Amino acid sequence: MHLTEEGRRAFAHDHRFLGAEHARNERRTLIVVAITAAMMVVEILAGWAYGSMALLADGWHMATHAGAIGLAAFAYRFAARHDADPRFSFGAGKVGDLAGFSSAIVLGVIALAIGVESVVRLTAPQPVAYAEATAIAVIGLAVNVVCALLLGHDHSHGGGRHHGHHHGHGHDRHDHADDHDHDGHAHDDHNLRGAYVHVLADALTSALAIGGLLAGWRFGWTWVDPAIGVVGAGVIGWWSISLARDTGRVLVDATPDARLAAHIRATLETGDVRVTDLHLWRIGPGHMAAIVSLVTHRPEQPAAYKARLGALEGLSHVTVEVNLCEGETRRYATA
């Protein structure tokens, strides 16, 4: 049977699985990069002008955050430009997870560096220009609050409308259901989450620095600043581990939602139909793909099984394979 070009196009579809807020998140991230970089320059120049090693150190520390957030902005742009690139089998929706994992590694290194430096300063306190350092730290905290507000309270979500691409495979034929839209759960945008955690880490270090500087300035407790630094390093380290764990699971295609997997099985396993193989993984913020193999004595068209899954939220790309039990004559419903 010859399939015309028009017929081929009727069954073709794209693999665009970016988050619903992708463009908006890219713009917000770029603004945060610009603000963070500007504050970085101010802290480095102020540290050099006032002879404050604390300000210089915080300025270079902020530079690492600017670089990491810049990576997040680059990931948004890269994913948008390569969203329809056929070299990416399931689109470029997971580029943000890769950037989020990189941010987690950078955060871990920063936490380790802060922890080591804080321990060193506990054993060998260094003189600090309290007035200048406190003023800049307050400005830095304000900047971080503004950046956190820019990234928004919905930093962990990327849901919205999902485009469903459902594939069906029988033994001798492929059946493609028409694309359909349905509302889905909002899933974490790990790229934006990585940028947000960097901003929170900066805000935390600024707030803790202010407390330590004020204690040292007012009471002469030079040990408070490095002690608070150790606490801050621990908190940032925990954020790093959490982000690395969540993004790592996406990158290795771990099952993202055990309840959804159970619902898929329960929805399909009616009568003598049994699910023999099920793969469920995330392909972008708010988008999941599934490959399901079925076995039954009385097979229906793959489209019938896909229709049953249409009510499940979050599925954007579904492939169904229908297998006939051994010894049965192959039959398909005509309805």
Side-chain angles (χ1 to χ4, degrees), residues 36-46 59 62:
T36 303
M39 188 61 206
M40 169 198 74
V41 172
V42 169
E43 286 196 334
I44 292 176
L45 292 179
M62 184 167 281

Side-chain angles (χ1 to χ4, degrees), residues 116-130:
V116 170
E117 179 63 19
S118 296
V119 171
V120 169
R121 293 199 177 196
L122 272 173
T123 58
Q126 301 178 15
V128 178
Y130 288 109

Side-chain angles (χ1 to χ4, degrees), residues 277-304:
D277 197 20
L278 171 60
H279 300 277
L280 180 67
W281 71 101
R282 169 174 154 147
I283 50 180
H287 299 281
M288 283 179 281
I291 297 177
V292 188
S293 294
L294 307 175
V295 63
T296 176
H297 291 283
R298 299 177 178 82
E300 301 179 56
Q301 291 281 3

